[in-house]
Amino acid sequence: MILLLGAAVLLLAGPRDTTSTMSTIVTPTISRAPVTGIRSSIIADSIVVEKARHTLTLFQAGMAVRTYQVALGKQPKGDKVKRGDNRTPEGEFFIDFKNPNSKYHKALHISYPDAVHSARASALGVSPGGDIMIHGLPPAYANVGAQHREFDWTEGCIAVTDKEIEEIWAAIPMGAPIHIKP
């Protein structure tokens, strides 16, 4: 009924010029493309580092969401035993604090040493070391970018570029588990 009424109104109105109507239609201007069906930022709940592959992978609900190439301690093979051995520790840890003012851009602190590493170092009469972090680059080397990964240069930390630590920093919550594999 309504459809018939609308058609009758159009017929009675007669012919008219539609160019003026067309020129008043406004098309919105889009300043940026909307993100549809894609997360605009990475969200993760855990980290896995594979030392042999030199990778750090972020996971969300058991699914890998992003993998980064990393530089490790100067002695990348083997578990960290003591302070100064330049090894990246292996095992299950968690992110226990974030340092926004790190001398390596930003840093996520890893909960090393755990009870096992502390006991082993104590039995050997040495310090287990500490301050193991996932971090960016020092300001003097920030322009080196991804080339920093061509050799292992840290004292046991896991290094990524400044852009990458920004992503990881935003994606990983405090307390997130990190598994560092040989």
Side-chain angles (χ1 to χ4, degrees), residues 43-63:
I43 298 172
D45 58 17
S46 62
I47 303 169
V48 174
V49 174
E50 295 178 73
K51 290 172 47 174
R53 294 180 58 210
H54 281 76
T55 60
L56 179 153
T57 304
L58 301 181
F59 285 84
Q60 173 63 29
M63 299 292 292

Side-chain angles (χ1 to χ4, degrees), residues 106-179:
K106 286 186 175 181
L108 302 175
H109 189 268
I110 298 170
S111 64
Y112 173 86
D114 57 8
V116 172
H117 287 91
S118 292
R120 181 173 56 192
S122 179
L124 294 171
V126 297
S127 167
D131 289 331
I132 303 298
M133 310 218 181
I134 300 168
H135 61 67
L137 303 173
Y141 297 100
N143 63 347
V144 172
Q147 291 176 331
H148 82 95
R149 298 185 284 242
E150 291 179 10
F151 62 96
D152 293 312
W153 58 272
T154 76
E155 294 179 8
C157 293
I158 300 159
V160 293
T161 67
D162 290 351
K163 181 180 176 192
E164 292 166 339
I165 193 60
E166 293 281 343
E167 288 180 4
I168 297 165
W169 175 278
I172 290 292
M174 289 288 297
I178 175 170
H179 184 180

